[in-house]
Amino acid sequence: MSLHIHDLRATLEDGTEILKGVTLDIPKGEVHAIMGPNGSGKSTLSKVIAGHEGYLVTGGSVTLDGQDIFSMSIDERSRAGIFLAFQYPSEVPGVSNANFIRAALQARLPQGEELDAVAYYHRLYAKMDLLEIDRKFTARSVNEGFSGGEKKRNEVLQLMMLEPLYGILDETDSGLDIDALKIVAKGVNAMRAPHRGFLLITHYQRLLDYIKPDYVHVMAEGRIVRSGGPELAHELEKDGYEFLKDLAPA
Amino acid sequence: MNSPVPAPTPSAALPALPAWFTSRQQAAWSRYLAIPTPKRGDEMWRFSNIKQLDFTGFSRSTGVPAVKEDGATSLSPHEKTGILPVIPDRQDACLPLDLIARSSGLEDTAAKLIFINETLVHSQSSLPAGVLCLSLAEALVSHSALVETHFMKQEPRLGSAKFAALHEASVVNGVFVHVPDDVEVAHPIEIHHWLAGSNTLIFPHTLVVTGRHAKVRVVEMFRSADDLQPGLAIAFNDLAAGPGSKLDYVAIQAFNELSRVIQINETAAARDATTTGFVLNTGAAWARNESLSRLEGPGARSDMLSVSIAAHAQEYDQRTFQHHVSPGAFSDLLYKNLLYDFAGTIFSGLISVDEGAHHTDAYQTCRNLLMSDTCEANSMPGLEINADQVKCSHGSTSSQISEEEIFYLRARGIDSAAARQLIARGFSIEVLARLGDEPLESLVIGFMDEKFASIAKASN
């Protein structure tokens, strides 16, 4: 049981190839981190898995526990168990956070079944407390006027509420101070479980001090160029991405 | 063919209308005949669908079958309006009871009045002493001088002078609310208007007057008895806010989509008065709203608000006028339109600052959210400033939902249709929040959600 990415190729609408054959297997229970310089295709990988329509898949496959996700719409993928924590979450004016998360949960229920509101708020408040989010947050419009840290905490709150099978975190650490980073990591660590896999996309090793990955991969120019254990992150932190120069792709 | 319904005969028991009123009606009728019908090319009717002004085929309602709420029929004149009831035929006998039952609204109201066409069929109230809330027909007799002081005082200047004259010449009933000095009405006064029968024409009129430091909120709902019969309403609401008073008026227009409506609002705000006018449009094939706020004293404030959800081939045509007569007054307009399918909206707004109306603050914003590629939103904001030290701004935008926003919601498992509805609803919420009254917001949201559901159903 895994999120399996095989020889994935994707282009922008103008035909520019961004992913040039990515292969990666994320079994349940494991946390994988992808690191790499800007423009290496890390964020694109996450968006293609989530179903962003700005990219065209030109080859390869992604399967969720054996199920082809490219036959599913964006929202079907989410309901099937994929969660993308956005690097730049959208603002949704006039839609309160509480109603937004509720709508997402409601979408997972069979037609005609109503979410139990009391149980919902009980659970929501418990997760908010863990992420040190003020109660007033529920009435605020989704991400509108949020600080960078608040937006990222909101992403992790949604992750905790939706309980996906696979969580993909796209640069969740960017723009966070150390305290906010610790809180976000606390939320993600609370969600680590034998029945859940994670893919962390990050530019910096710092996040991995708080969310310990099982494996670290390096992405460059649309491919995974190195894979290793957690020690690889420290090596990259020390030596940077200089070594990539020696891996001149064909 | 339906059997002809007997027309209400003026009853001997009906008290005579005051002379000032009948002479005004006659003058208005002459004016109606003299004013030319708006035509293509008239500035006030720019972009309008002039064809909608052909009212051929519509006729006055002939009353409603009178059935008391206990189910017994009555043949005596209505106790308040004096209008003689029509003998119910079998088909219509249950209509009033059915409509009274369907007139749900706010939980807490200070008064509730229900009209079927122009007949008051239900009225209940628990108003503070001194507050008048009665049918216009009754008020014309019992409080003639008070009604005369405030009835249709302002010059209609937004294009519908002809229809305002027709209204004035034809009006037989409506609501008169008068709140004396220093009296606050805690809960809203709720008025239901039901348009019943085929090709029925009604002239609802609501006159609300507040004394010094008085406070009241009036909520009107306009609906059709069924979805299949076209109707026409030429409605007028006349609001006169006395010094330091607070007067809020909410109109929910949810007629069936075969009907047409012209709704004229005229608000006068005296020194330090605060007025809020809100219009929701979800119904009618075509609606023309003209809203005029006149700031008559320093410290006066007028908030002009509207949400319109236009779908299918609906057309909403809104014209507004923020008239700063006095220095030191404030007005703020926020209109939001959601457009689906082949729908069209027109917004034409003018802020006019008279000579000497210094230190005016006036703002105007119209936002259109285009939900299809085939809808059409026209906006014509305008300013006329003849005073100094004035703060004014006007802006109008049209946009579509961003793909990134839709992607974000869908990535949370919300399907495309539900995501678009959430965003559309959210777009409108900013306006409702300005009402600052949760039960009222919920009531309005209920009507909006009904419209969203009908849009979703039609697109399936």
Side-chain angles (χ1 to χ4, degrees):
Chain A
M1 290 300 200
S2 67
L3 182 66
H4 186 73
I5 305 160
H6 179 72
D7 196 26
L8 181 63
R9 291 167 185 273
T11 68
L12 291 176
E13 278 169 340
D14 67 8
T16 313
E17 192 171 47
I18 309 291
L19 301 182
K20 300 172 180 173
V22 176
T23 297
L24 189 63
D25 191 55
I26 304 158
K28 283 189 175 143
E30 292 183 4
V31 174
H32 290 240
I34 292 187
M35 301 183 71
N38 287 331
S40 57
K42 308 186 298 289
S43 281
T44 298
L45 175 64
S46 71
K47 287 184 187 169
V48 168
I49 295 171
H52 195 286
E53 284 161 348
Y55 302 94
L56 198 66
V57 175
T58 51
S61 65
V62 178
T63 53
L64 185 156
D65 300 343
Q67 222 184 332
D68 170 24
I69 68 160
F70 293 140
S71 64
M72 301 181 205
S73 69
I74 302 164
D75 42 291
E76 282 169 345
R77 293 179 201 192
S78 166
R79 295 195 297 272
I82 288 176
F83 181 92
L84 171 62
F86 282 56
Q87 184 179 1
Y88 303 110
S90 285
E91 297 183 0
V92 193
V95 179
S96 72
N97 280 294
N99 283 344
F100 173 56
I101 297 173
R102 196 169 163 169
L105 286 167
Q106 182 68 47
R108 286 159 167 77
L109 296 179
Q111 189 93 36
E113 203 174 303
E114 275 293 316
L115 195 70
D116 177 342
V118 175
Y120 163 67
Y121 275 99
H122 188 75
R123 206 159 77 81
L124 181 68
Y125 288 148
K127 311 288 184 203
M128 282 167 61
D129 289 349
L130 186 125
L131 295 169
E132 298 171 36
I133 296 173
D134 190 280
R135 291 283 159 93
K136 286 195 198 101
F137 162 93
T138 53
R140 290 174 66 187
S141 293
V142 177
N143 294 323
E144 199 179 34
F146 281 27
S147 68
E150 284 175 321
K151 285 184 181 172
K152 297 303 171 72
R153 266 192 264 184
N154 191 11
E155 293 297 287
V156 176
L157 175 65
Q158 292 168 40
L159 166 81
M160 297 183 83
M161 290 300 289
L162 298 181
E163 299 181 325
L165 299 175
Y166 297 96
I168 303 168
L169 279 67
D170 187 11
E171 306 219 10
T172 298
D173 52 331
S174 69
L176 292 189
D177 62 30
I178 195 72
D179 293 328
L181 182 66
K182 282 182 186 169
I183 293 168
V184 160
K186 185 165 71 171
V188 175
N189 287 327
M191 293 299 287
R192 289 179 77 153
H195 57 273
R196 184 171 294 125
F198 278 99
L199 178 61
L200 310 178
I201 291 167
T202 179
H203 196 71
Y204 303 102
Q205 184 267 336
R206 194 180 63 154
L207 175 72
L208 307 182
D209 286 342
Y210 299 96
I211 308 172
K212 302 270 186 227
D214 298 299
Y215 297 93
V216 174
H217 310 274
V218 180
M219 195 160 170
E221 303 209 10
R223 288 188 188 89
I224 303 286
V225 293
R226 266 187 81 179
S227 294
E231 71 289 346
L232 180 55
H234 291 279
E235 194 182 311
L236 291 170
E237 184 73 1
K238 193 156 63 75
D239 305 333
Y241 295 108
E242 280 299 301
F243 73 96
L244 293 173
K245 285 183 183 157
D246 307 327
L247 296 170
Chain B
M1 292 291 287
N2 293 327
S3 59
V5 187
T9 359
S11 158
L14 191 70
L17 289 166
W20 69 265
F21 185 73
T22 48
S23 70
R24 275 189 69 171
Q25 288 210 308
Q26 281 157 11
W29 181 251
S30 309
R31 222 165 45 248
Y32 167 68
L33 295 175
I35 301 171
T37 303
K39 56 184 190 307
R40 193 176 285 279
D42 288 355
E43 185 55 31
M44 297 289 191
W45 293 86
R46 204 164 157 221
F47 298 114
S48 296
N49 186 350
I50 296 292
K51 276 190 301 199
Q52 300 286 0
L53 296 175
D54 178 0
F55 300 145
T56 313
F58 289 99
S59 58
R60 289 304 287 274
S61 73
T62 48
V64 287
V67 180
K68 285 190 172 168
E69 279 173 74
D70 58 8
T73 57
S74 154
L75 289 175
S76 57
H78 189 277
E79 57 182 292
K80 287 208 168 142
T81 63
I83 291 175
L84 194 71
V86 171
I87 299 162
D89 64 25
R90 263 186 222 117
Q91 195 190 341
D92 288 343
C94 295
L95 185 66
L97 292 178
D98 172 48
L99 294 180
I100 291 167
R102 281 163 63 193
S103 298
S104 57
L106 297 160
E107 199 162 309
D108 297 312
T109 56
K112 183 169 175 175
L113 294 93
I114 303 171
F115 289 85
I116 301 179
N117 295 331
E118 286 155 329
T119 306
L120 181 68
V121 295
H122 173 94
S123 147
Q124 69 187 62
S125 71
S126 52
L127 290 156
V131 177
L132 298 173
C133 175
L134 65 172
S135 75
L136 187 65
E138 189 185 353
L140 278 167
V141 177
S142 61
H143 297 82
S144 167
L146 199 51
V147 175
E148 187 183 7
T149 311
H150 300 284
F151 181 76
M152 295 185 80
K153 276 310 211 206
Q154 300 192 56
E155 191 72 24
R157 52 196 303 169
L158 291 169
S160 283
K162 185 177 178 74
F163 307 108
L166 177 61
H167 175 97
E168 189 174 345
S170 312
V171 63
V172 292
N173 212 350
V175 178
F176 176 57
V177 175
H178 183 270
V179 186
D181 293 355
D182 303 308
V183 175
E184 296 193 357
V185 182
H187 297 299
I189 292 174
E190 186 178 283
I191 306 165
H192 298 260
H193 296 276
W194 293 97
L195 189 45
S198 190
N199 292 304
T200 304
L201 165 60
I202 59 168
F203 296 94
H205 192 103
T206 300
L207 171 57
V208 185
V209 180
T210 48
R212 199 174 284 272
H213 303 294
K215 187 177 160 189
V216 72
R217 169 168 274 171
V218 176
V219 179
E220 285 197 284
M221 284 167 259
F222 297 89
R223 282 177 279 187
S224 303
D226 66 64
D227 289 339
L228 302 171
Q229 307 196 85
L232 170 64
I234 300 179
F236 207 100
N237 54 282
D238 223 353
L239 314 175
S245 69
K246 188 162 177 4
L247 200 172
D248 296 342
Y249 174 81
V250 170
I252 296 170
Q253 187 277 107
F255 284 127
N256 70 27
E257 291 192 24
L258 299 173
S259 295
R260 287 183 249 172
V261 56
I262 294 179
Q263 188 170 40
I264 303 169
N265 160 259
E266 295 194 346
T267 300
R271 171 187 283 265
D272 297 322
T274 302
T275 62
T276 303
F278 174 89
V279 181
L280 173 74
N281 282 305
T282 60
W286 175 82
R288 167 98 175 184
N289 300 148
E290 295 185 9
S291 193
L292 186 155
S293 268
R294 193 175 146 93
L295 288 303
E296 297 183 337
R301 175 180 176 125
S302 172
D303 285 280
M304 301 166 76
L305 308 168
S306 173
V307 171
S308 295
I309 309 172
H312 319 128
Q314 288 179 303
E315 297 176 324
Y316 296 142
D317 180 357
Q318 299 184 297
R319 315 273 161 161
T320 67
F321 196 66
Q322 292 157 265
H323 191 184
H324 285 260
V325 178
S326 159
F330 177 96
S331 68
D332 192 2
L333 177 147
L334 179 60
Y335 274 38
K336 288 201 172 186
N337 298 317
L338 279 161
L339 294 94
Y340 293 80
D341 312 318
F342 294 89
T345 60
I346 300 165
F347 171 77
S348 170
L350 184 65
I351 295 174
S352 176
V353 182
D354 281 2
E355 219 170 292
H358 306 303
H359 303 282
T360 286
D361 277 5
Y363 307 96
Q364 182 195 89
T365 306
C366 173
R367 300 209 185 287
N368 303 307
L369 188 58
L370 312 177
M371 305 294 287
S372 77
D373 296 330
T374 44
C375 59
E376 184 179 330
N378 287 294
S379 300
M380 296 169 281
L383 278 176
E384 265 176 24
I385 301 174
N386 299 301
D388 305 320
Q389 300 193 303
V390 164
K391 274 192 257 173
C392 284
S393 72
H394 64 92
S396 160
T397 57
S398 290
S399 57
Q400 290 183 306
I401 293 179
S402 91
E403 288 300 322
E404 289 303 314
E405 212 176 318
I406 290 279
F407 176 60
Y408 185 61
L409 271 72
R410 293 188 67 191
R412 296 296 173 259
I414 300 166
D415 70 38
S416 182
R420 286 165 62 82
Q421 182 172 324
L422 260 183
I423 292 169
R425 204 169 178 267
F427 170 80
S428 323
I429 294 286
E430 179 192 1
V431 187
L432 304 192
R434 294 258 299 261
L435 294 172
D437 177 336
E438 262 184 48
L440 185 52
E441 283 173 45
S442 303
L443 178 73
V444 175
I445 287 174
F447 278 91
M448 287 171 46
D449 283 349
E450 216 170 281
K451 180 62 176 269
F452 288 132
S454 96
I455 292 168
K457 204 171 143 196
S459 65
N460 276 340

